[in-house]
Amino acid sequence: MGRYIIRRLIQAIPVLLGATLFIFAIVFALPGDPIEALAGEKRQDPAITAIIREQYHLNDPLLVQYWYYISGILFHGDFGKTFAGVPVTQLMAGKFQVTLNLAFTALVMEAIIGLLLGLWAALRRGRATDTAILASTLLLISVPTLVTGFVLQLWLGVWLKQVTGIEFFPIAGVGQGLQSYLLPGFVLAGTSIAYLTRLTRTSLVETLRSDYIRTATAKGLSRRRVVGRHGLRNALIPMVTYLGADLGVLMGGAIITETIFNLPGIGLQLYQGVYLREQPIVVGIVTILVLVYIVANLIVDMLYAVLDPRIRYE
């Protein structure tokens, strides 16, 4: 296992370099001058512009700029500074925690609701319950996140408060702790819940048709033991894979949700960075997201051996 982890970490280096170089090149190709944008409508002194461009190596070719940036991260842990002189790590510190809380809230909801609904649908395959769950998941997939967010804000955030007089689901900000993440977490996880429900149902239905399940049933084992110990455990492997990959997707896809619920996370900061061509902000946030994705997939790979003892890493 130790060798496998080291090998995977080594393999992650070119992934990290490739992802950051790709994003760096995209930001580099955007039209406009980010230094002139700092002055707004006012005309900036050409001497000051030249000094700032030299300080941030903006006159150098793309690969030279990238080398300065990536070497600072790899050798010094320095993600650079914004064009306003603020360290990127300082800018992301509080915002990253907000997005991380939102993503983990969504992931927990996705895992619990998706697995339970998928299990229920698989055990009631072909019945009205199964049909209703599949129809509900199709509705979640079809409705855009933007629409789902505004509708739930109106129903659960405004109307429910008017009826009960109690604010169960805050509709903006993070002032009420974990409660503030419940509604945006569900909105963010909505599509993923639908996909995980369908994946769980399909995987479990196929597993319950296996020969070893028939053998366990023929031996007289209870339905609960056959499904829980033999069926669900083997069916969990594709679900765990999906959840591990989806963590990075949830963090990267939080831009719309954070905007709807006015959450001060890195999603909105990433959008502003792209709009203003702030290379350090954009590449810094993307680098963190890539690292989260790599770590999540490494944890998933290690969980395979726990779920299926037949899997060994040499």
Side-chain angles (χ1 to χ4, degrees):
M1 180 67 78
R3 294 179 181 177
Y4 175 78
I5 294 176
I6 294 175
R7 187 165 65 248
R8 285 300 304 270
L9 290 176
I10 294 175
Q11 292 173 352
I13 294 177
V15 175
L16 178 63
L17 294 177
T20 52
L21 178 58
F22 178 72
I23 297 299
F24 204 93
I26 291 178
V27 178
F28 183 87
L30 291 176
D33 189 338
I35 304 303
E36 292 182 357
L38 292 176
E41 298 180 356
K42 298 181 180 180
R43 180 176 177 79
Q44 188 165 256
D45 188 345
I48 297 178
T49 301
I51 293 175
I52 297 177
R53 294 185 64 86
E54 183 68 25
Q55 179 182 353
Y56 288 93
H57 310 287
L58 297 180
N59 296 322
D60 296 326
L62 170 63
L63 292 179
V64 176
Q65 291 186 40
Y66 178 73
W67 167 249
Y68 279 117
Y69 181 80
I70 200 65
S71 62
I73 293 178
L74 296 178
F75 302 130
H76 307 288
D78 181 16
F79 285 82
K81 295 182 179 181
T82 67
F83 295 136
V86 181
V88 174
T89 51
Q90 177 182 331
L91 191 66
M92 290 193 302
K95 299 180 183 298
F96 182 77
Q97 185 62 50
V98 172
T99 300
L100 194 62
N101 292 342
L102 176 61
F104 270 110
T105 302
L107 190 69
V108 171
M109 288 184 174
E110 174 187 348
I112 296 176
I113 299 175
L115 291 177
L116 290 179
L117 288 179
L119 175 60
W120 194 11
L123 296 179
R124 299 291 188 274
R125 180 170 60 92
R127 302 180 185 178
T129 302
D130 182 27
T131 304
I133 292 176
L134 291 178
S136 300
T137 57
L138 182 60
L139 179 63
L140 273 177
I141 295 172
S142 304
V143 178
T145 302
L146 186 65
V147 176
T148 304
F150 284 127
V151 169
L152 291 182
Q153 268 188 332
L154 181 62
W155 288 356
L156 300 180
V158 179
W159 289 354
L160 184 61
K161 182 180 178 181
Q162 291 176 350
V163 172
T164 63
I166 302 174
E167 187 178 23
F168 293 100
F169 302 101
I171 61 175
V174 293
Q176 299 188 31
L178 178 61
Q179 190 178 1
S180 302
Y181 294 99
L182 296 179
L183 193 56
F186 180 79
V187 172
L188 178 61
T191 303
S192 298
I193 289 174
Y195 283 124
L196 184 63
T197 298
R198 288 173 167 263
L199 176 63
T200 303
R201 177 191 178 278
T202 302
S203 179
L204 189 56
V205 166
E206 292 179 356
T207 302
L208 293 178
R209 291 174 176 171
S210 303
D211 292 337
Y212 69 89
I213 295 295
R214 297 192 185 96
T215 302
T217 304
K219 288 182 178 180
L221 297 180
S222 65
R223 178 68 169 171
R224 177 178 298 179
R225 188 173 183 183
V226 170
V227 174
R229 183 172 182 178
H230 298 282
L232 186 58
R233 183 173 181 177
N234 290 313
L236 278 175
I237 292 180
M239 306 173 207
V240 171
T241 303
Y242 180 82
L243 286 172
D246 204 41
L247 177 59
V249 175
L250 291 174
M251 294 191 66
I255 297 178
I256 296 178
T257 308
E258 289 178 356
T259 302
I260 295 174
F261 292 92
N262 195 26
L263 300 178
I266 61 173
L268 187 57
Q269 188 66 55
L270 178 61
Y271 168 77
Q272 293 173 346
V274 173
Y275 180 77
L276 298 174
R277 288 192 61 191
E278 288 272 7
Q279 291 176 348
I281 295 178
V282 176
V283 184
I285 292 177
V286 171
T287 302
I288 296 297
L289 294 179
V290 171
L291 290 174
V292 170
Y293 186 85
I294 291 173
V295 172
N297 278 272
L298 181 61
I299 294 175
V300 167
D301 288 344
M302 291 187 292
L303 285 176
Y304 285 162
V306 177
L307 295 174
D308 191 346
R310 296 172 297 177
I311 299 177
R312 291 291 181 267
Y313 301 107
E314 298 179 357

